[in-house]
Amino acid sequence: MTAGVLSLDHVSKSFGPVRAVSDVTFEVRTGEVIALVGENGAGKSTLLKMLSGVHAPDSGRILIDGEAVTIASPARAARLGIAVIYQELSLIPWLSVAQNLFLGREREIGRFVLPQRRLREKARAILSRLDTDIDPGRPVATLGVAAQQMVEIARALSKNARFILMDEPTASLAAHETDVLFERIAALKSQGVGVVYISHRLEEIHRIADRIGVLRDGALVHTGPVGDKSIPEIVELMVGRPIGDHYPSRVPNPGAEVLRVEPAPAMATESKPVVVRAGEVVGIAGLVGAGRTEWLWRLFGASPGLGERVLLDGAPVTIDSPARARALGIGMVPESRKEHGLVFGRSITDNATITILERLRGLGGLLDRRRQIETADQFVKRLRVRCRDAFAAVDGLSGGNQQKVVLAKWLARECSVLLLDEPTRGIDVGAKHEMYTLINELCAAGKAILLVSSDMPELIAMSDRIYVMAKGRLVAEFAAREATQRDILLHASGLERNAA
Ligand SMILES: Nc1ncnc2c1ncn2[C@@H]1O[C@H](COP(=O)(O)OP(=O)(O)OP(=O)(O)O)[C@@H](O)[C@H]1O
Ligand SMILES: [Mg+2]
């Protein structure tokens, strides 16, 4: 592959009054990895979208190997050797891996539409460049998130991309899957591909990137070799002010047992009961696909139980619907906030208070608009939602800011048990800090909190105790102070049991 460089020269882009990207000059060379960081709404995705033909810059130039180019469409970007991997994967679930790899290009790779067998051979050759043994004949729907991401990367490679742009690729990966992705990125780099990599997980950046670019309010406020800046320095560049301890401390003060979930009798020897006390944060660790989300959904009454016995304040309860869960004082922040998330076309205020409208109704059932606005405002400020004001529609918010509004919506509801599924996924470092402070406050107020997170440092720092789930079973329990990432992973991957 010939050496090359993709550059932005004084590029700007506005959406109405919002200057999303402001006079950015920046380049990525083949064979290097650049990490692009910044708070939610800083302009990271917009920058990638200009390089991939989704948005046209208002001003400035994009150059490839020094020549100005116009990237009017994603197809054009692909022909220029630029591929993007968006956070929401874009594969078609019921088609095979091979079909997805060459979707819409079956004719390009041969004069006629190729038979499935030839397609699979070609697919296997590309997948082998990524060192994966994914079966090209498998339907994509049967693959886990991490494997699907590999297929996306393989698709980028199959188009002979010289530059691969990744928008938060590790957001939904567990630690060991992230390791695999990083190995692949290193392999791409050595094959001469230039990679731009967006992430809110700052501790990853020193592992993977050669250079770093920091965006703040649309402007590139820093670029340089990644080793030149520590994480606190990067945070300060992103936020514009120093942030104290990333994980605010909490004095553990657990009270009475609030929630107990006992496994179905048939699983009692393989799976541990889960106990959460008042004023306690209990973490659940596991690999992607371990069944943590399903377990939470069953507890919340949204999918049928598997014979688990649930006790609240010592009394057995039957939770057969989310309405019942809510009536019992159980609240949930779901993982897939897209699906369970926002009403588009409506304001931030309406969305953030949608779960508590009943409580905001005064005499005669009239909505107390002032209280509604106050409540929404409070969350917008705390979670640092970047917006014109709380009356703006949620549609124009950046990905992370939309997440924050969904969080606000679920947090606004008061409850005694709170189930949090990946609550900080996709939100920036400042908002994460606020989220942790909020969790500590809820905890101090005596709530029982269950936290599912694939961000292992976060899980260890924020939990009092940690259970590890593997294949739908709770296989181990640790005091968080004693848990190491390594121990947790050994149990999560089932290696511990084999070793014993
Ligand atoms: N299609 C759009 N219409 C209106 N405003 C938009 C649009 N896309 C982005 N914006 C605005 O542009 C700014 C930058 O958004 P962008 O999505 O690039 O942020 P980001 O850095 O990717 O944030 P995140 O970390 O939350 O994904 C934000 O203020 C956002 O509200
Ligand atoms: Mg984004």
Side-chain angles (χ1 to χ4, degrees):
M1 205 172 290
T2 49
V5 52
L6 171 64
S7 24
L8 293 159
D9 177 31
H10 296 287
V11 165
S12 298
K13 174 75 191 173
S14 296
F15 296 100
V18 177
R19 203 164 160 85
V21 169
S22 179
D23 196 23
V24 167
T25 297
F26 176 70
E27 64 177 35
V28 51
R29 290 181 284 269
T30 49
E32 73 169 344
V33 178
I34 296 194
L36 199 56
V37 300
E39 286 188 288
N40 297 132
K44 304 178 296 295
S45 296
T46 305
L47 203 67
L48 290 203
K49 285 175 181 165
M50 288 191 283
L51 292 172
S52 60
V54 175
H55 294 314
D58 297 334
S59 58
R61 299 184 306 161
I62 296 171
L63 304 99
I64 294 181
D65 304 337
E67 284 199 31
V69 290
T70 307
I71 309 177
S73 69
R76 175 79 185 130
R79 278 197 299 279
L80 290 167
I82 301 169
V84 190
I85 292 160
Y86 294 104
Q87 194 183 338
E88 295 81 38
L89 300 174
S90 58
L91 303 172
I92 301 185
W94 57 87
L95 294 183
S96 73
V97 170
Q99 286 168 321
N100 267 285
L101 279 182
F102 300 110
L103 198 66
R105 296 183 297 140
E106 293 87 349
R107 276 166 209 281
E108 270 172 46
I109 56 173
R111 260 186 67 205
F112 305 101
V113 176
L114 288 174
Q116 289 300 316
R117 190 177 48 80
R118 284 277 297 130
L119 211 57
R120 284 207 288 272
E121 271 167 30
K122 282 199 167 278
R124 196 167 287 123
I126 290 164
L127 287 165
S128 72
R129 269 182 75 185
L130 289 169
D131 233 344
T132 64
D133 52 6
I134 300 171
D135 173 4
R138 253 175 91 169
V140 157
T142 65
L143 300 174
V145 186
Q148 292 196 22
Q149 206 152 41
M150 286 305 154
V151 177
E152 290 260 5
I153 295 174
R155 181 157 71 176
L157 280 178
S158 75
K159 296 178 192 170
N160 291 319
R162 295 162 75 209
F163 301 99
I164 301 187
L165 320 175
M166 305 185 182
D167 201 346
E168 299 188 45
T170 57
S172 44
L173 298 187
H176 92 289
E177 289 152 335
T178 300
D179 292 345
V180 174
L181 177 70
F182 285 0
E183 279 169 27
R184 302 300 178 265
I185 291 179
L188 290 175
K189 185 180 140 170
S190 67
Q191 291 167 21
V193 175
V195 176
V196 179
Y197 170 92
I198 294 178
S199 179
H200 287 292
R201 295 188 181 174
L202 300 181
E203 71 281 358
E204 295 175 350
I205 284 164
H206 287 94
R207 284 177 57 194
I208 185 75
D210 302 303
R211 289 197 297 136
I212 181 173
V214 183
L215 279 173
R216 185 163 79 224
D217 294 330
L220 191 68
V221 295
H222 170 81
T223 48
V226 74
D228 287 3
K229 296 275 182 230
S230 67
I231 290 183
E233 287 169 333
I234 295 171
V235 170
E236 190 167 343
L237 285 165
M238 284 170 59
V239 185
R241 64 183 164 87
I243 283 196
D245 265 347
H246 185 49
Y247 299 109
S249 66
R250 176 181 73 232
V251 181
N253 183 24
E257 179 177 311
V258 173
L259 175 73
R260 172 182 284 266
V261 187
E262 290 176 352
M267 295 218 315
T269 53
E270 302 165 49
S271 196
K272 292 174 181 296
V274 171
V275 172
V276 192
R277 300 183 183 86
E280 197 178 33
V281 178
V282 170
I284 302 196
L287 306 181
V288 169
R292 296 171 299 169
T293 294
E294 289 94 298
W295 188 85
L296 285 184
W297 278 122
R298 290 202 298 278
L299 186 52
F300 194 58
S303 44
L306 293 180
E308 294 102 338
R309 221 165 79 92
V310 181
L311 294 98
L312 268 183
D313 299 320
V317 289
T318 307
I319 306 172
D320 48 13
S321 69
R324 178 77 190 129
R326 284 195 289 267
L328 288 167
I330 301 176
M332 166 112 173
V333 172
E335 173 190 34
S336 50
R337 294 191 267 271
K338 274 245 154 61
E339 276 165 66
H340 307 105
L342 296 171
V343 185
F344 287 93
R346 300 291 291 271
S347 70
I348 295 168
T349 303
D350 288 349
N351 271 284
T353 53
I354 208 161
T355 52
I356 53 164
L357 287 180
E358 283 316 307
R359 238 188 300 135
L360 292 171
R361 284 187 207 285
L363 282 178
L366 232 54
L367 188 65
D368 184 343
R369 187 76 179 141
R370 203 172 55 87
R371 261 186 63 209
Q372 185 191 18
I373 293 170
E374 276 172 11
T375 310
D377 256 356
Q378 191 192 326
F379 278 103
V380 163
K381 288 213 179 72
R382 283 221 60 171
L383 297 174
R384 298 163 57 88
V385 178
R386 183 178 300 245
C387 57
R388 201 166 17 106
D389 55 45
F391 301 111
V394 291
D395 307 49
L397 296 178
S398 75
N401 283 305
Q402 289 181 348
Q403 298 263 36
K404 293 180 193 172
V405 175
V406 185
L407 281 179
K409 149 180 157 178
W410 295 99
L411 292 172
R413 266 193 99 84
E414 275 156 35
C415 43
S416 53
V417 176
L418 198 54
L419 315 178
L420 305 175
D421 198 357
E422 307 281 2
T424 63
R425 172 181 299 170
I427 69 176
D428 64 47
V429 54
K432 271 184 188 161
H433 185 78
E434 287 302 324
M435 183 72 204
Y436 300 144
T437 308
L438 201 61
I439 289 177
N440 284 352
E441 282 173 15
L442 294 166
C443 191
K447 298 198 190 309
I449 301 175
L450 263 174
L451 172 66
V452 166
S453 172
S454 296
D455 184 334
M456 202 71 89
E458 164 182 296
L459 195 70
I460 292 174
M462 291 306 297
S463 308
D464 297 306
R465 282 182 302 118
I466 293 175
Y467 293 91
V468 182
M469 183 172 281
K471 300 206 172 90
R473 290 157 174 73
L474 291 140
V475 294
E477 180 187 343
F478 294 96
R481 258 169 294 110
E482 293 157 10
T484 65
Q485 199 152 322
R486 189 177 164 277
D487 289 342
I488 292 175
L489 279 174
L490 279 177
H491 284 277
S493 54
L495 293 174
E496 181 60 28
R497 209 176 320 158
N498 297 345

